[in-house]
Amino acid sequence: MTVASLTENSAEAVTSRLATQLLGARYLGLRPGYSTAQHARFLADTAPHALLIESELLASGEELAGLVPSVLGLGTDEPGPDVLDLAEDEPDTPIAPAAAPGNLATVTCTGGSTGTPKVVCCSYANADAYLRVARRMYGAAPWRFLVGMPVSDLGGEIAQWTFAVGGTAVLWAEEFSATDTLTALRRERISHLFVAPPMLRPLAEEAASSGEEVPALRQVIYGGQPIPEAHVRTAVASFGGKLIQNYGQQEAGFISVLTGADHVAGNRQVLRSVGRPAPEVEIELREADGAAAGGEAGEIWVRSPMVMPGYWNDPEHTAAVLRDGWLRTGDLGKLREDGYLQVVDRLADMIMLNGTNVYSAQIEQALAEHPAIRDAAVVGVPDEVTGEAIYAAVTVVHEDSPPSGAEIREHVIRMLGPLHAPAHLRFFPQLPVTGRSKPDKKALRERAATDLAEQTASNRRSKHAGN
């Protein structure tokens, strides 16, 4: 049985997630960041038996109610009975867990940053492995974890790990603010915090400017997408050895860890890496046919007890990524002799320019190190001369005084060479992101295609006007 849940970060949302899994059912979290149309597609793909809707999200939930056999409210009796009221009539007798290791604990929708989102299956055995690894990486219990990620997604996992070690999950339902987050860390005596990479630099800068200590804080964990070395160094200046970077995927769980000691050592190549293999994880670099990578970079293959059993009702995609217990991550990487892993790019994001592999992640790193640029995303676009060309989208720190395109290109050339200079550079007020807050490369490619088509049409009109 699958139970879908459309909730925010509340105690009731966490409890309902735990209750679903106590019964041995599959939990499908619908993130508030996704559109109703995306949620509807996920429901169609997974055919859940019931949908649980929290009162704050009732408007979105009512549009989805007709897509499932049963609907329950959480704090509301619309569009179905309130599960909290129903629970009051149940006895207080403890319920024996009904889950078995091979059963599915969660079905989770991927962000779809490079293509169509897929539904990842996670067994209870996978979940047990996640907990073992988290315990080894995050240190002595108990933890007091500030949970700002959605509990319908990673936040729910973090809460469960925290409870399992006898800790306290402090739920944070507000939009991210560096000032408010630091205030909460001090007020709630938080020991552990997980942030997405875009949050790390403003948090570190605010901590440095305030000058106030956060005495209980033991770890600031970040991961989920690439982060420029310059941003990591800013964070090290504020948090030092409290920093931990996790590289992983929904399909693979934890893959590698960059420890606090790695951050403090300050080695440039180490800080540009994603660390060494996490506990219980094996990593190999291979070619597309599965042979060991003979060149400088290869696709990252992973084997661990956290690797998913497959995609939901999708044997074709499952067979494409799972081979003999190994998972093809779709990421290109380099593995140093000392065991540190560097993620070079997503395979889907690699640009072939004049027959040469150009890695979008390297260009994004270089762009982000320009002091006037806040965020950057790079994709390849078709080009009649070079095969593909580099299209870079950037946001700037001060919109009223942006750097010139020539200045930005020269910056990239100084860092990486002329091959990496963007042929097309566009300024955005904000980059397109997926429901998981990652750069949406698919949307950016679509925007680039429209942008370049309009530019071509404009050039043709100008040419005809000149004639």
Side-chain angles (χ1 to χ4, degrees), residues 99-123:
N103 295 156
L104 296 184
T106 61
V107 284
T108 306
C109 304
T110 67
S113 57
T114 58
T116 303
K118 295 178 281 293
V119 180
V120 176
C121 298
C122 170
S123 70

Side-chain angles (χ1 to χ4, degrees), residues 3 9 14 46 55 79 103 132 137 143 183 189 196 200-201 237 294 299 303 312 391 417 457:
V3 177
N9 280 19
V14 174
T46 56
S55 56
N103 295 156
R132 290 197 309 270
M137 291 190 300
W143 309 334
T183 298
R189 298 174 288 108
L200 187 61
R201 183 173 68 170
E299 185 180 3
R303 181 165 65 181
W312 178 263
Y391 181 102

Side-chain angles (χ1 to χ4, degrees), residues 233 236 259-268 270-271 340:
R233 290 192 179 278
V236 171
T259 67
D262 292 329
H263 285 87
V264 172
N267 179 287
R268 186 173 190 186
V270 169
L271 289 182
Y340 287 92

